[in-house]
Amino acid sequence: MKPIKVALAGAGAFGIKHLDAIKLIAGVEVVSLVSRDPAKTKEVADKYGIAHVSTDLAESLALKEVDAVILCTPTQMHAAQAIACMNAGKHVQVEIPLADSLAGAEQVAALQRQTGLVAMCGHTRRFNPSHQWLHKKIGAGEFNIQQMDVQTYFFRRSNMNALGQPRSWTDHLLWHHAAHTVDLFAYQTGGSIVAANALQGPIHPGLGIAMDMSIQLKSSTGAICTLSLSFNNDGPLGTFFRYIGDTGTYIARYDDLIDAKDNKIDVSQVDVSMNGIELQDREFFAAIREGREPNASVAQVLPCYRTLHRLEQQLNQGV
């Protein structure tokens, strides 16, 4: 099996999650690492045995041996970099979000249709075994969502990443964190989002973003979703999904799943791994090998970004 050779852009917290995942996947080799800090990039590359290091994505894209690129770069760069990758003939996986605007997301999707390359976005919740377990139950007709209640909570008063390191960009509750749930709600219900409303709290004077947000969604299936997001929450941290359905209630948190009586559900056999990032990467590489559309392709997630655009318009109007 010919190895798939990968360039990874972004040696921060999430880039390292992908590097750890790729080590577990046969037939894939990271041959180039791109990031803004030369010394840090070289340090990470040495740790993972990556030969080529650069601060310029274009340099990595010029390498003939590179088949595919994974982008773990600042949100504002995603659309332009994904376009650059496809223009260079490379398959691309963009970490969530696909773009920070609907126009950017649509440009990426249009170029994917034109080139036929595999282009995928890192909507990891589709791959977490807990959500996969529920997706299969829904597909089998054993469970239908009536309501999803989701809490996405962090404590982030300064511009730091998950490793406690300074960020070169600003995170965003709507275009990043809400994207996970907006996409997952449509994916799990099997419908389209027909109504969407949002409210936000005060804008942080230093970060320039809303630190609290509330979103309501309705699916064409009739199911509803309430999403609460905060950067002001002093623990517990993370995202909790409560699935309220016609035959039960389930609570998912990353790779853990419990029922309404706090009984833990074993999801260890749902897929080949319990690591959502690894499963996401496996899907990307499998789609490349098999010449098919991946789960969470840019085409599949584009409706999510249309909904985010509608919500942003509401928030800008102060509705």
Side-chain angles (χ1 to χ4, degrees), residues 13 15-16 22 24 28 69 78 95 113 122 162 187 193 212 219 230 240 252 257 262 308 314:
I16 288 170
I22 292 169
L24 305 173
V28 180
V69 182
H78 285 184
E95 251 316 319
R113 289 193 298 270
Y187 178 67
I193 293 174
D212 292 275
S219 169
S230 182
F240 302 84
L257 184 66
D262 283 335
L308 296 181
Q314 285 184 20

Side-chain angles (χ1 to χ4, degrees), residues 20-187:
D20 287 335
I22 292 169
K23 285 195 304 182
L24 305 173
I25 303 172
V28 180
E29 179 186 358
V30 180
V31 297
S32 180
L33 184 65
V34 186
S35 207
R36 63 188 177 90
D37 183 331
K40 178 186 171 186
T41 309
K42 179 71 164 58
E43 180 183 342
V44 174
D46 288 346
K47 178 180 177 182
Y48 289 90
I50 303 167
H52 180 263
V53 171
S54 179
T55 58
D56 184 4
L57 177 61
E59 185 179 322
S60 294
L61 294 179
L63 298 175
K64 290 184 179 180
E65 65 265 33
V66 170
D67 301 303
V69 182
I70 296 178
L71 298 174
C72 304
T73 49
T75 294
Q76 294 81 359
M77 303 169 75
H78 285 184
Q81 288 184 333
I83 287 168
C85 291
M86 287 187 283
N87 279 332
K90 316 297 186 185
H91 304 288
V92 63
Q93 180 187 169
V94 190
E95 251 316 319
I96 197 170
L98 176 59
D100 63 351
S101 71
L102 177 58
E106 288 181 332
Q107 287 167 8
V108 176
L111 186 57
Q112 187 283 319
R113 289 193 298 270
Q114 179 184 327
T115 63
L117 292 162
V118 173
M120 175 180 170
C121 190
H123 284 257
T124 313
R125 299 296 168 261
R126 291 185 178 218
F127 300 95
N128 290 118
S130 53
H131 298 295
Q132 277 202 58
W133 187 91
L134 284 158
H135 192 72
K136 291 176 180 179
K137 198 171 184 67
I138 293 164
E142 299 170 357
F143 179 73
N144 293 294
I145 297 170
Q146 306 300 309
Q147 181 176 179
M148 281 177 64
D149 186 84
V150 185
Q151 298 174 328
T152 295
Y153 291 157
F154 303 96
F155 186 72
R156 188 171 294 162
R157 301 289 177 80
S158 58
N159 207 10
M160 308 291 280
N161 70 13
L163 297 178
Q165 301 164 338
R167 267 201 172 113
S168 62
W169 55 286
T170 304
D171 204 355
H172 201 280
L173 287 177
L174 179 65
W175 281 97
H176 180 179
H177 297 287
H180 280 294
T181 297
V182 171
D183 178 68
L184 182 68
F185 177 60
Y187 178 67

